[in-house]
Amino acid sequence: MEKLLFVYNPCSGKGQIRGSLSQVIEILSKKGYDVTVYPTKREMDGCETVEKRAKEFDLIVCSGGDGTLDEVVTGLLRSGQKRVLGYIPAGSTNDFANSLGIPKQMEQAARLITDGVPFSCDIGKFNDNYFVYVAAFGMLTDVSYQTRQDLKNALGHAAYVLEAMKRMGTWRSSHLHVECEEYTGEGDYVFGMVTNSDSVGGFKGLPGKNVALNDGMFEVMLVHTPKNLIEWQEAISAVLFPDQKSEVVQRFKTKHMVITSETPVAWTRDGENGGEHTRVELDNMCQVLEIMTPGDDEPVPHGAAL
Ligand SMILES: [Mg+2]
């Protein structure tokens, strides 16, 4: 009998997993897995548990929001074990699940783990840490996570613009040196984001065009500090609409990049606190994670959240 470790965060998505937990476990168990259930108890518990115990199991499944996914993927990579991962999203935005076509409905996502197709996905390396789909600095990061989902659904990009405008006066910029094959720059930047995802902060298309999660490349967006109100408007609109050309917003793809600064810059990784750094080295680890997805021929609709 194949052994499955099911790690879930009881607090994710306002505890929505509680209502589906027994069905999810039944679906996995009926397919013949010997299921071990592990509710996480504190921050980094999921990471440490998977790092320590991955070798005892044939398959790892996690359920929670972006933070839980980030922890479990980090634990799995640190363990050095090659294991297929199943993901049952239970957060509020779930950009990454949307990019992979993993359904929001938990029982459907659980069925995908037994009947889906493994997909070899890229993972980001951030100094000695990992991120699944986004590493970012600057104020827009918390705008995207703090703009209420119902507002985003109702107003789309407008909600984001409103929230961004509201905070314009409080944006802090950082003096950075950015170096990679595709782009070299030094100056003041107000925001930056390195992604491997179709959507970020609940906005599909924000990272750019022709996104592939297994091409070994990140999408990068860097926003220079605007000098006046007109540049501010230009910046916000160029962030939201990737087709708009702008001197203020730099977009490119790369597989390796180094960002340095004299003063420490606060980063987020997968929407969680990523620490303060004066040097960040980013590497795309091509196709290192096998994750269960619907596959190409069987697209699963993922709701109206986008
Ligand atoms: Mg990519």
Side-chain angles (χ1 to χ4, degrees):
M1 202 183 227
E2 284 208 286
K3 294 177 78 181
L4 184 155
L5 175 62
F6 179 65
V7 177
Y8 76 98
N9 179 353
C11 305
S12 289
K14 302 187 185 94
Q16 74 179 90
I17 188 167
R18 290 166 201 270
S20 307
L21 191 60
S22 69
Q23 282 108 305
V24 164
I25 295 167
E26 272 169 47
I27 289 166
L28 300 173
S29 175
K30 265 187 193 152
K31 284 285 173 174
Y33 286 103
D34 175 6
V35 181
T36 298
V37 179
Y38 188 88
T40 58
K41 293 168 191 69
R42 56 184 160 77
E43 216 175 293
M44 289 315 278
D45 191 18
C47 174
E48 287 158 17
T49 302
V50 171
E51 179 177 3
K52 227 182 311 170
R53 302 195 57 188
K55 58 177 180 299
E56 302 167 37
F57 296 90
D58 302 289
L59 180 68
I60 313 289
V61 174
C62 77
S63 183
D66 291 337
T68 310
L69 176 68
D70 181 285
E71 279 198 19
V72 168
V73 168
T74 300
L76 188 56
L77 291 172
R78 284 185 185 164
S79 78
Q81 308 288 325
K82 264 268 180 195
R83 295 289 184 275
V84 175
L85 182 74
Y87 178 43
I88 301 174
S92 46
T93 35
N94 296 311
D95 294 309
F96 188 66
N98 288 329
S99 296
L100 287 174
I102 297 174
K104 279 179 91 140
Q105 216 269 337
M106 297 184 109
E107 288 85 352
Q108 278 180 30
R111 273 185 210 101
L112 204 64
I113 290 161
T114 58
D115 303 338
V117 182
F119 172 80
S120 297
C121 188
D122 300 346
I123 294 294
K125 189 149 192 284
F126 179 107
N127 293 344
D128 290 330
N129 267 297
Y130 302 99
F131 63 98
V132 177
Y133 76 94
V134 58
F137 66 85
M139 293 304 281
L140 268 163
T141 47
D142 63 322
V143 171
S144 80
Y145 289 96
Q146 284 172 18
T147 304
R148 281 164 33 213
Q149 189 62 45
D150 57 339
L151 263 183
K152 282 191 224 168
N153 292 346
L155 299 172
H157 284 152
Y160 200 71
V161 175
L162 284 174
E163 194 61 36
M165 299 282 250
K166 231 164 70 185
R167 289 158 183 238
M168 245 155 55
T170 66
W171 298 44
R172 245 179 59 203
S173 61
S174 305
H175 192 83
L176 306 174
H177 181 82
V178 182
E179 181 108 40
C180 66
E181 208 183 305
E182 294 78 4
Y183 172 81
T184 302
E186 190 183 340
D188 294 333
Y189 298 85
V190 78
F191 171 69
M193 153 173 117
V194 180
T195 53
N196 195 40
S197 178
D198 283 332
S199 68
V200 165
F203 287 105
K204 199 169 166 64
L206 201 68
K209 289 245 164 77
N210 306 317
V211 174
L213 274 56
N214 59 353
D215 61 352
M217 300 296 266
F218 296 123
E219 279 67 38
V220 181
M221 176 175 9
L222 296 170
V223 182
H224 295 279
T225 306
K227 292 184 193 74
N228 51 49
L229 202 60
I230 292 169
E231 280 197 5
W232 271 109
Q233 285 179 336
E234 183 186 322
I236 291 169
S237 122
V239 165
L240 294 172
F241 302 100
D243 283 339
Q244 274 185 29
K245 289 268 166 286
S246 163
E247 296 283 298
V248 189
V249 177
Q250 219 87 44
R251 287 174 182 271
F252 54 91
K253 294 178 193 259
T254 191
K255 58 177 191 288
H256 175 87
M257 182 164 70
V258 179
I259 298 179
T260 49
S261 56
E262 298 229 327
T263 43
V265 175
W267 283 76
T268 59
R269 288 195 317 263
D270 295 325
E272 308 280 316
N273 183 355
E276 297 200 358
H277 305 270
T278 52
R279 185 178 191 278
V280 171
E281 183 163 5
L282 299 135
D283 267 300
N284 189 305
M285 301 168 68
C286 190
Q287 302 187 9
V288 290
L289 179 75
E290 281 215 282
I291 184 162
M292 295 305 290
T293 65
D296 283 340
D297 43 340
E298 208 187 333
V300 175
H302 37 79
L306 301 177

